Amino acid sequence: MSVKLTLLVIVIEWFLRMKIRYNTLVLWLSALLLCSWWAFSQIEVRTDMSLFLPEGTAADQKLLLNEINQGEANRLLMIAIKQGDSAGRAQISQQFATQLRNSPFFERVENGTPTTLVIDPLLFKYRYLISTDDRPDNYSADMLNAALVQRLEELKSPFPTPFKDLLPADPLGTYQSMLGSWLAEHNINSEQGVWHSKDGEMALLLAQTKAGGMDLDQQQLVLSFIKTEFVRVSSGQPYELIVSGPGTFGVESRNIIHNESQSLSIIASILIALLLFSAYRFLPYLLIAALPLASALLAAAIVCQLFFGELHGITLAFGITLLGVTLDYPIHLFSHLRKEQSVKKSMLQIWNTMRLGVYTTCIAYLVLLTTDFSGLRQLGLFTLTGLLTAALTSRFILPQLFPVAFMPPKPRGISLLSRLLGQRRWPVLVLSTAAIISLASLLISYDTLWQDDIATLSPLPQALLKQDRQLRQQLLSAEPNQLMLIRGDDPESILQTSEALRERLKTDPEGQILNDIKLPSDYLPSEHKQRLRQRALPDSEQLSANLQQGLKGTPFRETAFKPFIKEIQESRRYSPLSYAQALETDLKPRLQSMIRQGPSDWFALIPLHTYGDSESIANYLNNASPEVRYLNMRSEISSLVGDFREQILQRIAFGSLLMLLLLWYGLGSLKAAFNTLIPIAAAILTTVGLLNLSGESLNLFHLISLMLVLGIGMDYSLFFRRREQQQGETLLTLHALSVCALSTAGVFAILASSSIPVLHAIGQTVAIGVAMSYLATYALSRRIS
């Protein structure tokens, strides 16, 4: 209690002694409060990783990226029920499916069998034109007899068939077979009348939500509803629920990003506070240093919201990096304060160097504003706005917060720094050793330096991803990365191409690898094929004669099937069922999940359920038809990322040239500009080598982090080489840079502990880079005395 009281007295005494421009401070704090209110009430935070995908230029690339963001596959949830016995799981599955179907959240819910028969009038009307069973002998006497015998067996079954009322109009069971082909998705294993895993340990369901997979607020409601209803249906019995799919992943990613960003920010803030207090032992410094940081975070968040209409969670988490960078500005001021001169004068003496460091850092981040990644543009704008705001706040606001006759506390640890770093031997030795080891690792490394697989950036635990793959295999659900693309001028041309491909798959031995896929024509035949079926339908006399023969040996009477004969004749006169009409039926979710209209044409994206050799699949499909193509989403996106990496490296080279020109202008000498950049180049090269040595494959966020290292290292190099330092000021500079390096490296080391790959990559790279930059800029600068 006495410690808290002492700290409170120190703070009160400090503010009572301050003869500051209260109007300036009050206005600034009022602005911060207003901005805080606006930020918390207006900023929309987004968490899906699609924002960090390139926007693409080719038609197929744009189509794939749109599929990632808004595709029908994003609305699919896979549900498993574990524990208990098979009969119990089947009962729970049926009850649970009924509850989900009756809810407002789902377009379709399937578990292998319908709980009730709901007849779609339009599909029933067109059953003889669109059924998948279109053999030419369907209406022969033998086929009619076999069908009637089967119907008779169904009527005798102890389990009543829901199709018995359809018997007079559909003795062939055409509508029943059609529904069965849709429900029996890829011959999923079934037990007790519902889908089960092959080992019989899980009951399985598929549910398609009405909300998009990227609408995380709605997906959160859906998941909450699923869990609540499962608890109600299972009635406290020991059943376990598993839910997986894009919506689950999105919600889980959001929770991980939010929780880790919050906890890491708190830990980093505590570390910074302890470090600052240890370096200066003056509590008001902590409050003053927080002002540029708070201003930077608020300004950066608001500007991003205004420009992009949203703020990504990764961008917000990136605000932790500002904690390790923007504090450098007040630290420079605190360490350079001297008793014999005013605070304003001390700031003016370091401002030219600080300003040049800010400008060069901003050039590095201007590169991100020209990229095709909306997420990276956000990071660039966020960092630029934050750095400029923090620098301007430190320059114009902080000096106003000190009393006119302020007596600064003596920075702690100067004598120790003088003894440790008063000579260059050990910094040079450490830097040289690290540089040699890292360079050797780059030269002899057999691993790929760059990692372009965007999937490696997922924050989800591997156990969750493995569980998703297992459920997909059990449900024979499509591998989301492998797709077949069919293009056409209209839905009819796509359906005809689909039919031609299906015929080829049936007759071509090489096509067996794709026989288990569902094509759009498996649900809706083309209008051309429907007309062919009409011509194959028997006339009334022929059908009556065949039916009379087929009734032999059955108890059915011929007059009972007059509706059947009548509807066959009517089917011969119907206009074919069009794609637009089919969208008004129960086929809508299936057809819309495949066929969609693009900017210039129509296309169908069919997920591939095979887990075979992707190269063989690609060769087969690409040679099947000019309108058919194989797409591998992961490799296509990786190719885009690789192209982007090459572009951004070129832009970084151009930015480095601009930086050199700015340094030349600011320092007045090309030689001085080169001397300033050389230590940073050595530090970055060493950092890349050490990352490679640790087993890290570099991705885009390592590249961004190296840009941040470039900006931080530039600040160190400029301050170590300041020409306008007064007598005895060099040790103050050394103290400032030492505190800056410790605080920045500490914050990013904390960030490196994150389980989110993006934050881990940024933290690890910058922590190593800052340490190398500090050593390189000191070892290669003039001697500190």
Side-chain angles (χ1 to χ4, degrees):
M1 184 68 180
S2 59
V3 175
K4 294 181 180 178
L5 200 55
T6 303
L7 294 176
L8 180 62
V9 169
I10 293 173
V11 174
I12 293 174
E13 181 183 359
W14 161 259
F15 281 106
L16 288 175
R17 291 175 54 230
M18 290 171 63
K19 297 179 181 178
I20 63 173
R21 298 177 184 177
Y22 286 103
N23 291 339
T24 302
L25 179 61
V26 169
L27 285 174
W28 190 258
L29 291 177
S30 299
L32 286 181
L33 289 174
L34 182 62
C35 290
S36 300
W37 169 82
W38 191 92
F40 282 109
S41 62
Q42 300 296 321
I43 289 179
E44 178 183 350
V45 179
R46 181 175 172 181
T47 52
D48 64 280
M49 291 304 298
S50 63
L51 202 65
F52 287 92
L53 296 175
E55 294 175 358
T57 53
D60 288 353
Q61 292 174 346
K62 291 182 178 180
L63 185 149
L64 275 179
L65 294 170
N66 183 71
E67 185 69 11
I68 292 174
N69 291 323
Q70 304 173 18
E72 297 293 318
N74 278 340
R75 300 192 286 122
L76 193 66
L77 294 177
M78 298 174 291
I79 302 172
I81 301 172
K82 296 182 68 175
Q83 308 301 333
D85 57 18
S86 179
R89 286 193 299 269
Q91 182 180 6
I92 295 296
S93 174
Q94 294 285 28
Q95 295 174 359
F96 193 38
T98 300
Q99 293 298 103
L100 298 184
R101 289 188 186 109
N102 293 335
S103 76
F105 295 111
F106 299 95
E107 282 193 347
R108 65 182 177 116
V109 177
E110 297 177 7
N111 67 339
T113 182
T115 52
T116 59
L117 176 64
V118 179
I119 298 176
D120 186 300
L122 195 57
L123 293 181
F124 187 75
K125 173 183 175 181
Y126 276 93
R127 64 192 180 278
Y128 297 115
L129 301 187
I130 65 174
S131 169
T132 54
D133 187 8
D134 61 341
R135 289 174 294 179
D137 61 343
N138 262 351
Y139 306 97
S140 67
D142 290 342
M143 291 297 293
L144 285 169
N145 180 262
L148 290 171
V149 170
Q150 185 175 350
R151 301 289 88 76
L152 186 62
E153 292 300 319
E154 291 171 357
L155 292 173
K156 292 178 180 179
S157 171
F159 302 101
T161 173
F163 299 96
K164 64 179 180 180
D165 294 336
L166 303 182
L167 181 60
D170 191 18
L172 290 172
T174 302
Y175 190 73
Q176 177 180 348
S177 298
M178 192 166 63
L179 290 183
S181 69
W182 298 345
L183 287 173
E185 297 276 19
H186 326 301
N187 299 316
I188 301 172
N189 183 58
S190 181
E191 292 182 20
Q192 305 289 332
V194 301
W195 288 335
H196 263 78
S197 58
K198 292 177 182 178
D199 60 8
E201 297 298 322
M202 295 187 296
L204 305 171
L205 301 91
L206 280 173
Q208 190 171 32
T209 63
K210 293 181 179 179
M214 295 298 113
D215 186 350
L216 297 187
D217 289 335
Q218 281 298 312
Q219 289 293 330
Q220 179 74 66
L221 291 176
V222 169
L223 293 174
S224 298
F225 174 80
I226 288 175
K227 293 174 183 177
T228 301
E229 289 304 310
F230 181 76
V231 170
R232 182 177 299 145
V233 168
S234 60
S235 302
Q237 300 176 64
Y239 292 102
E240 180 185 345
L241 177 69
I242 298 175
V243 184
S244 188
T248 308
F249 288 172
V251 172
E252 185 69 19
S253 296
R254 179 170 67 177
N255 293 338
I256 291 173
I257 291 172
H258 175 266
N259 294 336
E260 286 213 12
S261 299
Q262 192 175 56
S263 59
L264 291 175
S265 297
I266 293 172
I267 295 171
S269 300
I270 294 172
L271 173 67
I272 290 294
L274 292 174
L275 183 61
L276 287 180
F277 189 72
S278 299
Y280 302 102
R281 298 293 176 90
F282 194 59
L283 190 61
Y285 277 1
L286 273 64
L287 304 177
I288 295 173
L291 191 58
L293 174 63
S295 305
L297 289 174
L298 284 172
I302 290 172
V303 168
C304 282
Q305 173 69 24
L306 292 175
F307 271 82
F308 295 99
E310 61 188 2
L311 189 66
H312 197 278
I314 292 292
T315 305
L316 197 58
F318 197 69
I320 303 174
T321 67
L322 288 180
L323 185 66
V325 178
T326 59
L327 286 176
D328 287 1
Y329 306 140
I331 287 173
H332 283 307
L333 177 61
F334 298 158
S335 289
H336 284 89
L337 292 178
R338 306 177 73 174
K339 296 178 181 179
E340 60 271 17
Q341 64 183 21
S342 67
V343 175
K344 290 182 180 178
K345 187 174 180 180
S346 297
M347 171 56 79
L348 286 174
Q349 284 182 347
I350 63 173
W351 174 241
N352 287 337
T353 304
M354 185 187 297
R355 179 175 56 188
L356 188 57
V358 172
Y359 289 163
T360 52
T361 304
C362 287
I363 287 177
Y365 278 90
L366 280 172
V367 173
L368 293 182
L369 295 182
T370 64
T371 67
D372 292 334
F373 283 48
S374 180
L376 296 189
R377 289 199 297 271
Q378 271 200 25
L379 286 182
L381 184 60
F382 189 92
T383 307
L384 281 171
T385 306
L387 290 175
L388 289 173
T389 302
L392 292 174
T393 303
S394 300
R395 167 64 181 88
F396 296 104
I397 301 298
L398 294 195
Q400 308 293 333
L401 304 182
F402 291 86
V404 175
F406 175 61
M407 298 294 290
K410 183 180 179 180
R412 303 282 176 165
I414 284 196
S415 58
L416 177 61
L417 285 171
S418 180
R419 288 195 300 270
L420 290 177
L421 298 175
Q423 52 184 333
R424 290 193 185 133
R425 291 179 186 174
W426 78 265
V428 172
L429 181 62
V430 172
L431 178 66
S432 301
T433 303
I436 292 171
I437 293 174
S438 60
L439 184 60
S441 74
L442 290 174
L443 293 175
I444 65 175
S445 175
Y446 295 102
D447 298 326
T448 303
L449 182 62
W450 292 98
Q451 170 62 264
D452 294 327
D453 188 356
I454 205 75
T456 60
L457 302 180
S458 171
L460 296 171
Q462 286 300 313
L464 195 61
L465 297 175
K466 181 180 179 181
Q467 175 181 278
D468 182 79
R469 287 192 296 270
Q470 291 173 342
L471 282 179
R472 287 187 182 280
Q473 290 174 347
Q474 295 292 345
L475 282 162
L476 298 176
S477 185
E479 167 62 40
N481 291 311
Q482 296 192 80
L483 300 167
M484 177 170 62
L485 171 66
I486 302 177
R487 288 194 177 276
D489 297 329
D490 50 38
E492 174 67 10
S493 62
I494 288 175
L495 290 171
Q496 290 187 24
T497 302
S498 171
E499 288 167 346
L501 179 61
R502 174 58 74 197
E503 289 303 315
R504 177 172 178 172
L505 292 176
K506 287 180 180 177
T507 58
D508 188 353
E510 294 183 7
Q512 297 303 310
I513 56 175
L514 290 168
N515 257 344
D516 61 345
I517 65 171
K518 283 289 185 180
L519 296 173
S521 56
D522 295 336
Y523 299 108
L524 177 66
S526 67
E527 294 182 25
H528 172 72
K529 189 165 188 176
Q530 291 180 55
R531 291 190 184 96
L532 293 178
R533 289 184 178 181
Q534 281 181 316
R535 295 171 194 160
L537 292 174
D539 58 27
S540 177
E541 293 181 5
Q542 182 64 50
L543 183 60
S544 295
N546 291 346
L547 180 62
Q548 189 174 17
Q549 297 256 345
L551 286 171
K552 292 180 180 179
T554 71
F556 298 116
R557 292 175 299 175
E558 183 179 356
T559 55
F561 298 104
K562 285 184 178 180
F564 169 59
I565 298 174
K566 177 185 176 183
E567 292 189 21
I568 287 286
Q569 303 314 305
E570 290 176 349
S571 295
R572 299 177 64 188
R573 298 188 294 271
Y574 290 149
S575 297
L577 182 67
S578 67
Y579 174 77
Q581 288 176 299
L583 292 184
E584 299 174 3
T585 71
D586 290 341
L587 281 177
K588 179 180 178 180
R590 289 177 170 85
L591 291 177
Q592 277 193 333
S593 68
M594 295 184 180
I595 301 177
R596 294 191 284 283
Q597 186 173 14
S600 58
D601 60 0
W602 286 75
F603 66 90
L605 271 182
I606 297 102
L608 301 180
H609 302 265
T610 178
Y611 291 84
D613 178 23
S614 59
E615 185 175 349
S616 299
I617 297 171
N619 290 335
Y620 185 86
L621 290 178
N622 292 336
N623 294 324
S625 168
E627 291 80 20
V628 177
R629 277 199 61 202
Y630 169 82
L631 295 177
N632 189 300
M633 188 178 295
R634 178 171 293 181
S635 62
E636 290 285 339
I637 297 301
S638 295
S639 176
L640 275 175
V641 173
D643 292 342
F644 167 77
R645 171 171 45 80
E646 296 299 326
Q647 294 173 13
I648 199 171
L649 284 172
Q650 294 173 3
R651 293 169 186 174
I652 287 176
F654 179 71
S656 299
L657 178 60
L658 289 180
M659 199 177 295
L660 178 63
L661 295 176
L662 180 61
L663 288 172
W664 186 1
Y665 174 79
L667 299 176
S669 166
L670 183 59
K671 180 181 178 181
F674 272 115
N675 288 339
T676 303
L677 280 173
I678 287 172
I680 314 304
I684 289 178
L685 182 61
T686 305
T687 301
V688 171
L690 291 176
L691 288 171
N692 183 67
L693 190 63
S694 68
E696 287 279 322
S697 293
L698 305 188
N699 58 42
L700 289 174
F701 292 95
H702 288 99
L703 189 57
I704 296 169
S705 304
L706 291 174
M707 293 164 58
L708 186 56
V709 170
L710 175 63
I712 295 171
M714 190 66 65
D715 184 66
Y716 296 172
S717 189
L718 286 169
F719 268 94
F720 270 133
R721 293 178 177 276
R722 280 182 65 215
R723 293 176 296 179
E724 66 273 19
Q725 295 188 89
Q726 299 178 5
Q727 183 69 27
E729 195 178 350
T730 52
L731 279 178
L732 297 179
T733 298
L734 177 59
H735 181 272
L737 293 178
S738 299
V739 176
C740 289
L742 281 173
S743 62
T744 305
V747 166
F748 283 95
I750 291 172
L751 204 62
S753 67
S754 172
S755 65
I756 302 173
V758 172
L759 299 184
H760 170 76
I762 293 172
Q764 185 182 30
T765 306
V766 179
I768 296 174
V770 165
M772 292 300 103
S773 295
Y774 178 81
L775 289 173
T777 51
Y778 172 72
L780 301 179
S781 69
R782 71 177 186 271
R783 184 181 179 87
I784 299 291
S785 58

